[in-house]
Amino acid sequence: MGLLENLEQRLDRIVNGSFSKAFKSEVQPVELGAALQQEIDNRAETITGQTVVPNIFIIELGLVDHDRLTPYFETLSAELTALADQYTGEQRYTTIDSAHITFDLDSVLETGVFRIRSTAAARPVDAPRAPAINPDLTPQVPLSSFAVASSPYLVSITGEEFKITKSVSNVGRGAEADIQIDDSSVSRLHCAIVLGSDVLVRDLGSTNGTLIDGVRATETVVHDGSIIKIGNITLTYKSQ
C-alpha cells in the first residue's frame, strides 16, 4: 500500500469518517498529500553534490475549504508532515531540517483549489516536531555545509542593512521569514535568497512578484549591486 493510501486511511480513522462528510467536492486530504510529494520533487535542487528539497510548506486554501478544514488542521499537519519526512527519506533527498506544514487562507482561491508554497529553512523554534518514522532515511545537512567566505547582505534605499546568514534565507512580511520586511505590499514569504556557487533569488509565489534589475523573475542569478524589488520595497544585493 502506498504512502497516500496509508495517509487517507489514517485520516479517516482519526476523525471517524468526518472527512468523507466534510470534503465531498472540496479539497481532499489525499490531494494535499499528492501535491506535497510533487512540490518536493519539483523543488529539488543540487547543492554541493546533494539533492536538497524544501521542508517548510504553507498550504493556502480558499475561504470555503479553509473554514471546513480548520477543525482538522492539527491532524492534517501531523499526517502530512510525517508523509513529507518519509517521502523525503525514501527518495534519498536531503533537507536542512525536518518538515513543517501550516495552513493559510487565500480568499481569492476558489473552492476545491489550493496552493502550496515551500522553501528550505530551519523549522520555527516553537514548532513541535513530528515523531520520526525512520530517522536513518532522512539525512540532515548542517547549515555550516553551505557556509560561504563572504558576508552578503541586502540594503534598502533608506540605508537599512539585512544580513544574509543562511544558505537559504526567506524574505517576507511574516514572522517565519528570516529577513522581515514590514510592508503590506510584501507577501508573508515573498522570495528566497539561495547562496551557492551562484547566488539566486527565487520568488516564492508572491502576490506582487519579484523584480531583478527591473525584470520580473521566478529564479534569477544576482550579482553585487543587483537591484531586487519586492512589492514596493527596493533592495540592493551586496556580496560583502
Side-chain angles (χ1 to χ4, degrees), residues 20 44 54 61-62 72 74 83 98 100 112 128 131 136 139 163 211 220 236:
S20 63
L61 301 162
Y72 310 115
E74 185 175 354
L83 173 73
S98 56
H100 178 59
D136 293 333
K163 294 289 186 181
L211 276 68
T220 300
T236 301

Side-chain angles (χ1 to χ4, degrees), residues 78-218:
E79 291 294 338
L80 291 171
T81 295
L83 173 73
D85 283 337
Q86 185 172 355
Y87 184 72
T88 296
E90 289 183 355
Q91 299 302 311
R92 311 304 299 176
Y93 289 146
T94 299
T95 59
I96 290 176
D97 205 339
S98 56
H100 178 59
I101 296 173
T102 55
F103 295 86
D104 200 2
L105 169 66
D106 186 339
S107 57
V108 175
L109 295 177
E110 297 179 358
T111 302
V113 178
F114 64 91
R115 175 171 54 223
I116 298 180
R117 296 186 182 184
S118 65
T119 190
R123 288 167 55 96
V125 175
D126 58 349
R129 293 179 179 270
I133 293 174
N134 188 341
D136 293 333
L137 289 179
T138 309
Q140 302 292 322
V141 182
L143 292 178
S144 59
S145 298
F146 300 104
V148 292
S150 59
S151 300
Y153 62 96
L154 301 174
V155 59
S156 70
I157 58 176
T158 61
E160 185 176 8
E161 295 183 1
F162 304 93
K163 294 289 186 181
I164 302 171
T165 59
K166 295 183 177 181
S167 60
V168 180
S169 297
N170 301 313
V171 183
R173 189 183 72 251
E176 63 269 44
D178 302 302
I179 298 175
Q180 289 185 304
I181 307 293
D182 186 15
D183 189 279
S184 60
S185 67
V186 177
S187 297
R188 286 180 54 193
L189 287 178
H190 198 106
C191 66
I193 300 173
V194 183
L195 302 182
S197 54
D198 288 321
V199 178
L200 303 174
V201 172
R202 176 187 297 141
D203 186 79
L204 298 177
S206 63
T207 300
N208 294 319
T210 300
L211 276 68
I212 308 297
D213 294 325
V215 179
R216 192 178 182 100
T218 300

Side-chain angles (χ1 to χ4, degrees), residues 7-16 18-19 23 29 32 69-83 101 103 130:
L7 170 71
E8 193 170 27
Q9 289 191 4
R10 287 199 304 273
L11 289 173
D12 185 66
R13 287 198 301 269
I14 289 170
V15 297
N16 297 320
S18 294
F19 278 109
F23 287 93
L32 298 177
L69 298 181
T70 296
Y72 310 115
F73 279 166
E74 185 175 354
T75 297
L76 273 171
S77 179
E79 291 294 338
L80 291 171
T81 295
L83 173 73
I101 296 173
F103 295 86

